Structures are given as C-alpha cells and as structure tokens.
Short mmCIF file of all heavy atoms in Angstrom, two decimals:
data_model
loop_
_atom_site.label_atom_id
_atom_site.label_comp_id
_atom_site.label_asym_id
_atom_site.label_seq_id
_atom_site.Cartn_x
_atom_site.Cartn_y
_atom_site.Cartn_z
N MET O 1 0.02 57.21 -3.08
CA MET O 1 -0.03 57.60 -1.63
C MET O 1 -1.45 58.21 -1.46
O MET O 1 -1.84 59.17 -2.08
CB MET O 1 1.10 58.67 -1.45
CG MET O 1 1.28 58.94 0.03
SD MET O 1 2.25 60.41 0.30
CE MET O 1 3.38 60.38 -1.04
N ARG O 2 -2.17 57.66 -0.50
CA ARG O 2 -3.53 58.17 -0.33
C ARG O 2 -3.82 58.71 1.05
O ARG O 2 -4.74 59.42 1.17
CB ARG O 2 -4.48 56.90 -0.60
CG ARG O 2 -4.55 56.66 -2.01
CD ARG O 2 -5.49 55.43 -2.25
NE ARG O 2 -5.34 55.04 -3.67
CZ ARG O 2 -5.95 53.97 -4.12
NH1 ARG O 2 -6.67 53.21 -3.33
NH2 ARG O 2 -5.82 53.64 -5.42
N SER O 3 -3.06 58.26 2.01
CA SER O 3 -3.45 58.77 3.33
C SER O 3 -2.19 59.19 4.08
O SER O 3 -1.02 58.86 3.60
CB SER O 3 -4.12 57.64 4.08
OG SER O 3 -3.20 56.61 4.40
N VAL O 4 -2.40 59.80 5.20
CA VAL O 4 -1.24 60.19 6.04
C VAL O 4 -0.51 58.98 6.55
O VAL O 4 0.70 58.92 6.57
CB VAL O 4 -1.72 61.01 7.24
CG1 VAL O 4 -0.64 61.36 8.23
CG2 VAL O 4 -2.34 62.29 6.78
N GLU O 5 -1.23 57.87 6.78
CA GLU O 5 -0.60 56.62 7.13
C GLU O 5 0.31 56.16 6.16
O GLU O 5 1.46 55.63 6.40
CB GLU O 5 -1.62 55.58 7.56
CG GLU O 5 -2.43 55.83 8.76
CD GLU O 5 -1.56 56.18 10.00
OE1 GLU O 5 -0.59 55.42 10.22
OE2 GLU O 5 -1.81 57.17 10.72
N ASP O 6 -0.11 56.23 4.86
CA ASP O 6 0.79 55.84 3.72
C ASP O 6 1.99 56.67 3.66
O ASP O 6 3.17 56.21 3.48
CB ASP O 6 0.09 55.99 2.40
CG ASP O 6 -1.00 54.89 2.27
OD1 ASP O 6 -0.99 53.84 2.96
OD2 ASP O 6 -1.87 55.05 1.42
N PHE O 7 1.81 58.01 3.84
CA PHE O 7 2.90 58.95 3.87
C PHE O 7 3.88 58.64 4.90
O PHE O 7 5.14 58.58 4.72
CB PHE O 7 2.38 60.38 4.01
CG PHE O 7 3.46 61.40 4.09
CD1 PHE O 7 4.14 61.85 2.94
CD2 PHE O 7 3.81 61.94 5.34
CE1 PHE O 7 5.05 62.80 3.05
CE2 PHE O 7 4.73 62.93 5.39
CZ PHE O 7 5.40 63.36 4.26
N LYS O 8 3.42 58.32 6.17
CA LYS O 8 4.31 57.99 7.17
C LYS O 8 5.10 56.71 6.93
O LYS O 8 6.31 56.67 7.15
CB LYS O 8 3.46 57.70 8.51
CG LYS O 8 2.86 58.97 9.13
CD LYS O 8 2.23 58.53 10.43
CE LYS O 8 1.40 59.72 10.94
NZ LYS O 8 0.63 59.35 12.18
N ALA O 9 4.36 55.70 6.44
CA ALA O 9 5.09 54.38 6.11
C ALA O 9 6.08 54.59 5.11
O ALA O 9 7.22 54.08 5.25
CB ALA O 9 3.97 53.39 5.69
N GLN O 10 5.74 55.40 4.09
CA GLN O 10 6.73 55.60 2.95
C GLN O 10 7.94 56.36 3.44
O GLN O 10 9.08 56.07 3.12
CB GLN O 10 6.03 56.43 1.91
CG GLN O 10 6.20 55.99 0.52
CD GLN O 10 5.43 56.74 -0.50
OE1 GLN O 10 5.78 57.89 -0.75
NE2 GLN O 10 4.34 56.21 -0.96
N THR O 11 7.72 57.40 4.35
CA THR O 11 8.85 58.16 4.82
C THR O 11 9.69 57.31 5.72
O THR O 11 10.98 57.37 5.55
CB THR O 11 8.31 59.37 5.54
OG1 THR O 11 7.42 60.12 4.78
CG2 THR O 11 9.45 60.26 6.04
N LEU O 12 9.13 56.48 6.57
CA LEU O 12 9.91 55.65 7.46
C LEU O 12 10.70 54.65 6.68
O LEU O 12 11.80 54.30 6.98
CB LEU O 12 9.03 54.95 8.45
CG LEU O 12 8.35 55.96 9.50
CD1 LEU O 12 7.41 55.17 10.34
CD2 LEU O 12 9.49 56.56 10.36
N GLU O 13 10.10 54.20 5.54
CA GLU O 13 10.74 53.24 4.74
C GLU O 13 11.97 53.92 4.04
O GLU O 13 13.00 53.27 3.86
CB GLU O 13 9.77 52.82 3.59
CG GLU O 13 10.11 51.50 2.94
CD GLU O 13 8.99 51.08 2.03
OE1 GLU O 13 7.84 50.74 2.48
OE2 GLU O 13 9.22 51.15 0.76
N LYS O 14 11.81 55.17 3.62
CA LYS O 14 12.92 55.86 3.03
C LYS O 14 14.09 56.03 3.99
O LYS O 14 15.25 55.92 3.65
CB LYS O 14 12.50 57.26 2.57
CG LYS O 14 11.71 57.23 1.25
CD LYS O 14 11.30 58.66 0.88
CE LYS O 14 10.54 58.71 -0.38
NZ LYS O 14 10.12 60.11 -0.67
N ILE O 15 13.76 56.38 5.18
CA ILE O 15 14.74 56.48 6.23
C ILE O 15 15.48 55.16 6.56
O ILE O 15 16.59 55.09 6.76
CB ILE O 15 14.14 57.11 7.54
CG1 ILE O 15 13.71 58.46 7.31
CG2 ILE O 15 15.07 56.98 8.70
CD1 ILE O 15 14.89 59.52 7.21
N GLY O 16 14.65 54.18 6.55
CA GLY O 16 15.18 52.82 6.74
C GLY O 16 15.96 52.67 8.04
O GLY O 16 15.47 53.15 9.06
N ASP O 17 17.12 52.15 7.97
CA ASP O 17 17.95 51.96 9.19
C ASP O 17 19.06 52.93 9.27
O ASP O 17 20.14 52.57 9.73
CB ASP O 17 18.42 50.51 9.33
CG ASP O 17 19.27 50.07 8.15
OD1 ASP O 17 19.36 50.88 7.22
OD2 ASP O 17 19.74 48.92 8.16
N LEU O 18 18.81 54.08 8.72
CA LEU O 18 19.80 55.15 8.72
C LEU O 18 20.36 55.46 10.15
O LEU O 18 19.57 55.58 11.07
CB LEU O 18 19.22 56.47 8.07
CG LEU O 18 20.12 57.65 8.11
CD1 LEU O 18 21.24 57.48 7.06
CD2 LEU O 18 19.32 58.92 7.77
N ARG O 19 21.65 55.58 10.18
CA ARG O 19 22.23 55.92 11.47
C ARG O 19 23.28 57.01 11.23
O ARG O 19 23.89 57.03 10.16
CB ARG O 19 22.97 54.67 12.10
CG ARG O 19 22.06 53.59 12.59
CD ARG O 19 21.39 53.97 13.93
NE ARG O 19 20.68 52.83 14.45
CZ ARG O 19 19.48 52.47 14.04
NH1 ARG O 19 18.91 53.05 13.06
NH2 ARG O 19 18.92 51.38 14.61
N CYS O 20 23.47 57.84 12.26
CA CYS O 20 24.53 58.83 12.11
C CYS O 20 25.94 58.15 12.02
O CYS O 20 26.23 57.28 12.88
CB CYS O 20 24.49 59.79 13.32
SG CYS O 20 25.85 60.94 13.24
N PRO O 21 26.72 58.56 11.05
CA PRO O 21 28.10 57.89 10.95
C PRO O 21 28.94 58.29 12.11
O PRO O 21 29.93 57.55 12.41
CB PRO O 21 28.66 58.46 9.59
CG PRO O 21 27.81 59.67 9.26
CD PRO O 21 26.43 59.45 9.91
N ASP O 22 28.66 59.43 12.73
CA ASP O 22 29.56 59.80 13.89
C ASP O 22 29.02 59.33 15.20
O ASP O 22 29.83 58.97 16.07
CB ASP O 22 29.58 61.33 13.90
CG ASP O 22 30.35 61.89 12.69
OD1 ASP O 22 31.14 61.15 12.13
OD2 ASP O 22 30.13 63.07 12.41
N HIS O 23 27.72 59.33 15.46
CA HIS O 23 27.15 59.04 16.74
C HIS O 23 26.34 57.74 16.81
O HIS O 23 25.85 57.40 17.88
CB HIS O 23 26.29 60.26 17.22
CG HIS O 23 27.03 61.52 17.10
ND1 HIS O 23 26.68 62.52 16.21
CD2 HIS O 23 28.05 61.99 17.76
CE1 HIS O 23 27.50 63.55 16.33
NE2 HIS O 23 28.33 63.30 17.27
N ARG O 24 26.21 57.11 15.69
CA ARG O 24 25.37 55.84 15.63
C ARG O 24 23.97 56.04 16.17
O ARG O 24 23.33 55.10 16.66
CB ARG O 24 26.06 54.77 16.44
CG ARG O 24 27.56 54.62 16.26
CD ARG O 24 28.03 54.48 14.76
NE ARG O 24 27.48 53.36 14.11
CZ ARG O 24 27.47 53.18 12.82
NH1 ARG O 24 27.94 54.13 12.02
NH2 ARG O 24 27.00 52.09 12.30
N GLN O 25 23.45 57.18 15.94
CA GLN O 25 22.03 57.44 16.41
C GLN O 25 21.07 57.44 15.21
O GLN O 25 21.50 57.80 14.08
CB GLN O 25 21.98 58.89 17.06
CG GLN O 25 22.84 59.10 18.24
CD GLN O 25 22.33 58.46 19.47
OE1 GLN O 25 21.15 58.53 19.82
NE2 GLN O 25 23.23 57.76 20.16
N ALA O 26 19.85 57.01 15.43
CA ALA O 26 18.88 57.12 14.42
C ALA O 26 18.10 58.43 14.56
O ALA O 26 17.95 58.92 15.73
CB ALA O 26 17.91 55.94 14.56
N PRO O 27 17.70 58.95 13.46
CA PRO O 27 16.86 60.20 13.51
C PRO O 27 15.51 59.82 14.00
O PRO O 27 14.95 58.72 13.87
CB PRO O 27 16.79 60.64 12.07
CG PRO O 27 17.03 59.43 11.24
CD PRO O 27 17.90 58.48 12.04
N ARG O 28 14.89 60.82 14.74
CA ARG O 28 13.54 60.54 15.22
C ARG O 28 12.56 61.42 14.37
O ARG O 28 12.79 62.68 14.18
CB ARG O 28 13.43 61.02 16.66
CG ARG O 28 14.02 59.93 17.57
CD ARG O 28 13.76 60.28 18.97
NE ARG O 28 14.78 59.65 19.80
CZ ARG O 28 14.90 60.00 21.11
NH1 ARG O 28 14.18 60.90 21.67
NH2 ARG O 28 15.81 59.41 21.79
N LEU O 29 11.49 60.83 13.95
CA LEU O 29 10.57 61.61 13.22
C LEU O 29 9.23 61.74 13.90
O LEU O 29 8.80 60.82 14.49
CB LEU O 29 10.33 60.80 11.86
CG LEU O 29 11.49 60.71 10.92
CD1 LEU O 29 11.11 60.00 9.62
CD2 LEU O 29 12.15 62.03 10.54
N LYS O 30 8.67 62.93 13.74
CA LYS O 30 7.32 63.13 14.25
C LYS O 30 6.49 63.69 13.10
O LYS O 30 6.99 64.52 12.38
CB LYS O 30 7.35 64.17 15.43
CG LYS O 30 7.58 63.56 16.75
CD LYS O 30 7.27 64.62 17.83
CE LYS O 30 7.37 64.04 19.20
NZ LYS O 30 7.08 65.10 20.18
N PHE O 31 5.30 63.22 13.01
CA PHE O 31 4.45 63.69 11.94
C PHE O 31 3.34 64.49 12.59
O PHE O 31 2.71 64.13 13.60
CB PHE O 31 3.84 62.52 11.24
CG PHE O 31 4.86 61.66 10.52
CD1 PHE O 31 5.47 60.61 11.19
CD2 PHE O 31 5.17 62.01 9.18
CE1 PHE O 31 6.44 59.89 10.42
CE2 PHE O 31 6.10 61.23 8.54
CZ PHE O 31 6.77 60.18 9.14
N HIS O 32 2.99 65.69 11.95
CA HIS O 32 1.94 66.50 12.35
C HIS O 32 1.02 66.72 11.27
O HIS O 32 1.34 66.75 10.09
CB HIS O 32 2.50 67.88 12.75
CG HIS O 32 3.54 67.80 13.91
ND1 HIS O 32 3.18 67.73 15.21
CD2 HIS O 32 4.88 67.84 13.88
CE1 HIS O 32 4.29 67.70 15.94
NE2 HIS O 32 5.32 67.75 15.23
N GLY O 33 -0.27 66.87 11.64
CA GLY O 33 -1.31 67.05 10.68
C GLY O 33 -2.03 65.74 10.36
O GLY O 33 -1.55 64.60 10.55
N SER O 34 -3.29 65.86 9.93
CA SER O 34 -4.12 64.71 9.81
C SER O 34 -4.52 64.51 8.33
O SER O 34 -5.17 63.44 8.04
CB SER O 34 -5.43 64.87 10.66
OG SER O 34 -5.96 66.09 10.41
N THR O 35 -4.17 65.40 7.46
CA THR O 35 -4.39 65.12 6.01
C THR O 35 -3.14 65.27 5.26
O THR O 35 -2.16 65.94 5.73
CB THR O 35 -5.47 66.13 5.50
OG1 THR O 35 -4.95 67.45 5.46
CG2 THR O 35 -6.73 66.13 6.25
N LEU O 36 -3.12 64.74 4.05
CA LEU O 36 -1.93 64.79 3.25
C LEU O 36 -1.56 66.24 2.93
O LEU O 36 -0.37 66.58 2.77
CB LEU O 36 -2.08 64.06 1.94
CG LEU O 36 -1.89 62.54 1.98
CD1 LEU O 36 -2.13 61.92 0.65
CD2 LEU O 36 -0.45 62.22 2.53
N ARG O 37 -2.51 67.06 2.94
CA ARG O 37 -2.34 68.47 2.58
C ARG O 37 -1.61 69.24 3.66
O ARG O 37 -0.82 70.17 3.40
CB ARG O 37 -3.65 69.23 2.25
CG ARG O 37 -3.55 70.31 1.25
CD ARG O 37 -4.88 70.82 0.88
NE ARG O 37 -5.54 70.00 -0.18
CZ ARG O 37 -6.71 70.27 -0.66
NH1 ARG O 37 -7.37 71.29 -0.27
NH2 ARG O 37 -7.20 69.46 -1.55
N ASP O 38 -1.86 68.88 4.92
CA ASP O 38 -1.22 69.74 5.95
C ASP O 38 -0.20 68.87 6.80
O ASP O 38 0.19 69.32 7.86
CB ASP O 38 -2.27 70.35 6.87
CG ASP O 38 -3.10 69.27 7.60
OD1 ASP O 38 -2.73 68.06 7.62
OD2 ASP O 38 -4.18 69.65 8.13
N VAL O 39 0.14 67.66 6.34
CA VAL O 39 1.10 66.92 7.11
C VAL O 39 2.52 67.45 6.98
O VAL O 39 2.95 67.96 5.91
CB VAL O 39 1.07 65.44 6.66
CG1 VAL O 39 1.62 65.26 5.20
CG2 VAL O 39 1.85 64.52 7.62
N THR O 40 3.21 67.56 8.12
CA THR O 40 4.53 68.01 8.13
C THR O 40 5.41 67.02 8.95
O THR O 40 4.85 66.31 9.83
CB THR O 40 4.70 69.39 8.73
OG1 THR O 40 4.16 69.39 10.03
CG2 THR O 40 4.00 70.48 7.88
N ILE O 41 6.62 67.01 8.65
CA ILE O 41 7.57 66.11 9.36
C ILE O 41 8.47 66.90 10.31
O ILE O 41 9.05 67.92 9.81
CB ILE O 41 8.42 65.32 8.40
CG1 ILE O 41 7.61 64.53 7.41
CG2 ILE O 41 9.34 64.38 9.18
CD1 ILE O 41 8.43 63.92 6.32
N GLN O 42 8.56 66.57 11.51
CA GLN O 42 9.51 67.18 12.40
C GLN O 42 10.52 66.18 12.72
O GLN O 42 10.23 65.06 13.19
CB GLN O 42 8.75 67.58 13.68
CG GLN O 42 9.61 68.39 14.65
CD GLN O 42 9.00 68.54 15.97
OE1 GLN O 42 7.81 68.43 16.13
NE2 GLN O 42 9.81 68.88 16.93
N MET O 43 11.79 66.50 12.43
CA MET O 43 12.83 65.59 12.60
C MET O 43 13.79 65.99 13.68
O MET O 43 14.13 67.19 13.80
CB MET O 43 13.60 65.36 11.34
CG MET O 43 14.71 64.36 11.44
SD MET O 43 15.56 64.01 9.93
CE MET O 43 15.88 65.62 9.35
N THR O 44 14.18 65.06 14.55
CA THR O 44 15.16 65.38 15.51
C THR O 44 16.37 64.47 15.28
O THR O 44 16.24 63.23 15.14
CB THR O 44 14.61 65.01 16.95
OG1 THR O 44 13.33 65.60 17.14
CG2 THR O 44 15.54 65.49 18.01
N ALA O 45 17.51 65.09 15.14
CA ALA O 45 18.72 64.31 14.85
C ALA O 45 19.83 64.80 15.77
O ALA O 45 19.79 65.85 16.39
CB ALA O 45 19.24 64.64 13.42
N CYS O 46 20.80 63.87 16.02
CA CYS O 46 21.88 64.15 16.99
C CYS O 46 22.73 65.26 16.54
O CYS O 46 23.42 65.96 17.25
CB CYS O 46 22.63 62.85 17.20
SG CYS O 46 23.35 62.07 15.77
N CYS O 47 22.80 65.47 15.19
CA CYS O 47 23.67 66.52 14.73
C CYS O 47 23.24 66.93 13.21
O CYS O 47 22.41 66.24 12.61
CB CYS O 47 25.18 66.12 14.70
SG CYS O 47 25.43 64.72 13.64
N ASP O 48 23.81 68.03 12.76
CA ASP O 48 23.43 68.53 11.42
C ASP O 48 23.69 67.48 10.31
O ASP O 48 23.00 67.40 9.31
CB ASP O 48 24.16 69.79 11.13
CG ASP O 48 23.60 70.94 11.86
OD1 ASP O 48 22.50 70.75 12.59
OD2 ASP O 48 24.23 72.01 11.96
N LYS O 49 24.79 66.71 10.55
CA LYS O 49 25.19 65.77 9.48
C LYS O 49 24.11 64.72 9.31
O LYS O 49 23.67 64.45 8.15
CB LYS O 49 26.46 65.05 9.97
CG LYS O 49 27.20 64.28 8.89
CD LYS O 49 28.36 63.55 9.54
CE LYS O 49 29.55 63.44 8.52
NZ LYS O 49 30.72 62.87 9.17
N LEU O 50 23.56 64.18 10.43
CA LEU O 50 22.52 63.22 10.37
C LEU O 50 21.23 63.83 9.77
O LEU O 50 20.53 63.26 9.01
CB LEU O 50 22.22 62.59 11.70
CG LEU O 50 21.07 61.56 11.70
CD1 LEU O 50 21.44 60.38 10.80
CD2 LEU O 50 20.83 61.05 13.08
N ALA O 51 20.96 65.10 10.20
CA ALA O 51 19.76 65.75 9.70
C ALA O 51 19.80 65.87 8.19
O ALA O 51 18.79 65.66 7.51
CB ALA O 51 19.68 67.14 10.38
N GLU O 52 21.00 66.17 7.66
CA GLU O 52 21.10 66.36 6.21
C GLU O 52 20.98 64.99 5.49
O GLU O 52 20.30 64.85 4.48
CB GLU O 52 22.48 66.97 5.88
CG GLU O 52 22.46 67.57 4.51
CD GLU O 52 23.81 68.02 4.05
OE1 GLU O 52 24.53 68.61 4.93
OE2 GLU O 52 24.17 67.78 2.90
N LEU O 53 21.60 63.97 6.08
CA LEU O 53 21.46 62.66 5.48
C LEU O 53 19.96 62.22 5.42
O LEU O 53 19.52 61.68 4.41
CB LEU O 53 22.26 61.64 6.28
CG LEU O 53 23.80 61.67 6.11
CD1 LEU O 53 24.47 60.68 7.13
CD2 LEU O 53 24.16 61.29 4.66
N ALA O 54 19.27 62.44 6.54
CA ALA O 54 17.87 62.01 6.58
C ALA O 54 17.04 62.82 5.64
O ALA O 54 16.19 62.27 4.94
CB ALA O 54 17.38 62.16 8.00
N ASN O 55 17.30 64.16 5.63
CA ASN O 55 16.53 64.98 4.66
C ASN O 55 16.73 64.50 3.25
O ASN O 55 15.81 64.54 2.41
CB ASN O 55 17.00 66.45 4.86
CG ASN O 55 16.17 67.18 5.90
OD1 ASN O 55 15.00 66.86 6.00
ND2 ASN O 55 16.80 68.04 6.59
N ARG O 56 18.01 64.16 2.94
CA ARG O 56 18.22 63.75 1.54
C ARG O 56 17.47 62.45 1.23
O ARG O 56 16.97 62.27 0.15
CB ARG O 56 19.76 63.48 1.38
CG ARG O 56 20.28 64.15 0.18
CD ARG O 56 21.72 63.85 0.00
NE ARG O 56 22.55 64.72 0.81
CZ ARG O 56 23.85 64.57 1.06
NH1 ARG O 56 24.48 63.42 0.56
NH2 ARG O 56 24.50 65.34 1.74
N LYS O 57 17.36 61.54 2.20
CA LYS O 57 16.69 60.32 2.02
C LYS O 57 15.18 60.59 1.85
O LYS O 57 14.53 59.98 0.97
CB LYS O 57 16.89 59.38 3.25
CG LYS O 57 18.22 58.76 3.24
CD LYS O 57 18.09 57.26 3.62
CE LYS O 57 19.47 56.57 3.54
NZ LYS O 57 19.27 55.22 3.28
N ILE O 58 14.64 61.46 2.65
CA ILE O 58 13.24 61.75 2.57
C ILE O 58 12.89 62.36 1.25
O ILE O 58 11.83 62.14 0.65
CB ILE O 58 12.80 62.69 3.74
CG1 ILE O 58 12.94 61.87 5.06
CG2 ILE O 58 11.36 63.17 3.59
CD1 ILE O 58 12.77 62.77 6.33
N ALA O 59 13.77 63.27 0.81
CA ALA O 59 13.56 64.03 -0.41
C ALA O 59 13.71 63.11 -1.66
O ALA O 59 13.21 63.52 -2.75
CB ALA O 59 14.47 65.20 -0.50
N ALA O 60 14.40 62.04 -1.54
CA ALA O 60 14.65 61.19 -2.71
C ALA O 60 13.40 60.66 -3.29
O ALA O 60 12.54 60.23 -2.52
CB ALA O 60 15.62 60.07 -2.33
N PRO O 61 13.29 60.67 -4.61
CA PRO O 61 12.05 60.11 -5.18
C PRO O 61 11.94 58.60 -4.95
O PRO O 61 12.99 57.88 -4.92
CB PRO O 61 12.23 60.40 -6.68
CG PRO O 61 13.65 60.59 -6.89
CD PRO O 61 14.20 61.11 -5.62
N ARG O 62 10.80 58.10 -4.73
CA ARG O 62 10.54 56.66 -4.54
C ARG O 62 10.69 55.93 -5.87
O ARG O 62 10.20 56.38 -6.87
CB ARG O 62 9.13 56.51 -3.97
CG ARG O 62 8.93 55.22 -3.30
CD ARG O 62 7.47 55.21 -2.77
NE ARG O 62 6.99 53.89 -2.69
CZ ARG O 62 7.27 53.14 -1.60
NH1 ARG O 62 7.97 53.52 -0.66
NH2 ARG O 62 6.77 51.90 -1.59
N ILE O 63 11.45 54.84 -5.78
CA ILE O 63 11.63 54.10 -7.04
C ILE O 63 10.44 53.10 -7.26
O ILE O 63 10.05 52.43 -6.38
CB ILE O 63 13.00 53.24 -6.89
CG1 ILE O 63 14.13 54.20 -6.67
CG2 ILE O 63 13.18 52.38 -8.14
CD1 ILE O 63 15.37 53.51 -6.14
ZN1 ZN V 1 25.33 62.63 14.82
#
C-alpha cells in the first residue's frame, strides 16, 4: 500500500458488496486526509449491526 488511493481501493474491496442483513443497505464510506499517515475513514451505516459488520471487514487482514 503506497498511497491514499491504494488505501481507499483496498478498503472498498474489503467492504465489497456488503449489505445490512436487516435493511439491505450498503455502508457509506468517506475518506479524510491526504496522506497514509493521516487518512481516516468515516462510515455511515443504517444501524449498529451494519457498522459492526463493516468494521470487521475493514479490520480483517488482507489475504
Ligand atoms: Zn441496518
């Protein structure tokens, strides 16, 4: 991973086509920061359940 763009692509890839099992909504991700050092992800989810599922996916190590 070399750039913020890579980080974004990787994160979106991890999320994939995740949908809330209850509401069929996809999480929305916003990226802040212009360098890998200060990049943060802001996630909007329909409910806590989806937020947790998405967080788990994002935190999972890349294979
Ligand atoms: Zn939901």
Side-chain angles (χ1 to χ4, degrees):
M1 195 193 324
R2 286 178 189 174
S3 68
V4 174
E5 290 308 314
D6 288 343
F7 176 77
K8 287 184 190 177
Q10 226 176 73
T11 305
L12 292 173
E13 201 176 291
K14 283 180 178 176
I15 290 289
D17 57 358
L18 177 70
R19 292 283 187 284
C20 176
D22 292 340
H23 309 109
R24 316 307 300 166
Q25 303 283 313
R28 284 186 205 172
L29 298 182
K30 270 192 178 181
F31 296 88
H32 300 280
S34 50
T35 67
L36 279 179
R37 208 173 281 182
D38 63 15
V39 68
T40 56
I41 304 171
Q42 185 192 342
M43 183 175 49
T44 311
C46 55
C47 62
D48 287 349
K49 196 183 210 175
L50 179 61
E52 199 188 318
L53 286 172
N55 271 323
R56 228 182 278 166
K57 285 221 175 208
I58 293 171
R62 198 176 154 85
I63 300 163

